[in-house]
Amino acid sequence: MSTPLTATVSARSAVLSLLLGAHPPVLEGREIVAAMRLFGVSESTTRAAMSRMVAAGDLVRDGGRYALSERLARRQARTDSPATVPWDRTWETAIVTTSGRSAGDRAELRTEMTRLRLAELREGVWMRPANLDRALPASVREVTTGFTARPDDDPVDLARTLWDLPEWARRGHALLDAVEEAGDDGQARFLTMVSVVRHLYQDPLLPPELRPADWPADRLTAVYADFRAWLAAMRIGRG
């Protein structure tokens, strides 16, 4: 099944999604093969993908067991979303102060800032409401100056400037519809959930005061939790 919402998923993405949905993120090779077969991926394709992923440092192999690398385990933690704290109307701000960096370094920083759920107000100025219980990593602190601020303008308008909130909500609701349409079709459900996970990575995790009405983030998180429970039950059943 392939739709604009659930585009064709590579064997690598399928294996990663399976492990990202497992807690802890460790599975027997035979479990991965069995699950991928349910999702329409052959054993030979799955094992070839697993071998490439081990070589690329995406997976760590220990005998017949495969685990996410440390880098991707951190990605799993991001999927679970950092804890939030009550918002006191201040904004977390990071301004890039180091010059002379390569294009690759700038692109890497941009990717990391986005993963940290910050958005760029203008080049080199990154912001978000200060409602996340997490610290910026050393790699970011080394090249930025950080502080908290309380903007004079309407914070709702500022949030809408930083993120395309109507589009995130529209796609979120469309994904919820796709989950419902998938029903008990394991392959369709899996492909849809890959898209759900990707969409949740882009959730700005705004405080309730700044979210548009009918914001679908909580419902998306709930259906993803149900999906992980389904994967865990499938894993136990094949253990």
Side-chain angles (χ1 to χ4, degrees), residues 2 28 82 89-90 96 102 109-110 113 118 137-138 167 216 221:
S2 178
E28 296 281 349
R89 300 185 67 83
T90 61
V96 178
S102 68
L109 178 64
R110 179 176 297 274
M113 296 297 253
L118 287 106
E167 174 57 22
T221 301

Side-chain angles (χ1 to χ4, degrees), residues 41 53 65 85 91 104 107 147 150 154 163 165 167 176 181 188 190 195 197 203 205 234 237:
V41 183
M53 292 165 73
R65 295 167 67 84
V85 296
W91 288 67
F147 53 90
R150 192 183 293 264
D154 185 347
W163 294 278
L165 302 181
E167 174 57 22
L176 289 170
E181 291 173 6
F190 183 77
S195 295
V197 170
D203 179 4
L205 300 176
M234 182 178 64

Side-chain angles (χ1 to χ4, degrees), residues 44-57 59 61 66:
S44 60
T45 299
T46 298
R47 292 200 178 277
M50 291 159 60
S51 295
R52 289 194 295 269
M53 292 165 73
V54 170
L59 299 182
R61 180 176 180 179
Y66 292 80

Side-chain angles (χ1 to χ4, degrees), residues 66-158:
Y66 292 80
L68 292 179
S69 67
E70 182 179 353
R71 171 176 58 85
L72 291 178
R74 291 196 299 269
R75 175 178 168 182
Q76 184 186 51
R78 287 195 301 272
T79 306
D80 293 337
S81 297
T84 59
V85 296
W87 186 47
D88 63 1
R89 300 185 67 83
T90 61
W91 288 67
E92 177 182 347
T93 307
I95 298 178
V96 178
T97 54
T98 301
S99 60
R101 294 176 299 121
S102 68
D105 287 342
R106 292 195 301 272
E108 185 175 345
L109 178 64
R110 179 176 297 274
T111 297
E112 184 63 19
M113 296 297 253
T114 302
R115 287 174 178 168
L116 290 164
R117 316 297 175 110
L118 287 106
E120 198 170 25
L121 180 64
R122 51 161 294 177
E123 185 175 1
V125 179
W126 295 83
M127 300 183 70
R128 68 154 295 107
N131 69 318
L132 298 185
D133 186 14
R134 60 103 175 92
L136 297 181
S139 59
V140 171
R141 297 197 306 272
E142 288 171 357
V143 296
T144 64
T145 295
F147 53 90
T148 57
R150 192 183 293 264
D152 293 332
D153 294 334
D154 185 347
V156 172
D157 290 341
L158 179 55

Side-chain angles (χ1 to χ4, degrees), residues 210-239:
L210 301 183
R211 299 175 195 164
D214 200 21
W215 187 245
D218 290 343
R219 291 175 60 199
L220 287 167
T221 301
V223 298
Y224 179 57
D226 289 343
F227 174 68
R228 291 201 310 195
W230 175 66
L231 287 178
M234 182 178 64
R235 175 184 179 184
I236 293 169
R238 292 178 176 274

Side-chain angles (χ1 to χ4, degrees), residues 5 163-177 199 202-204 206 211-217 219-220:
L5 283 173
W163 294 278
D164 188 348
L165 302 181
E167 174 57 22
W168 194 94
R170 183 204 64 78
R171 182 170 174 82
H173 286 295
L175 285 167
L176 289 170
D177 290 342
H199 197 55
Q202 300 167 3
D203 179 4
L206 296 176
R211 299 175 195 164
D214 200 21
W215 187 245
R219 291 175 60 199
L220 287 167

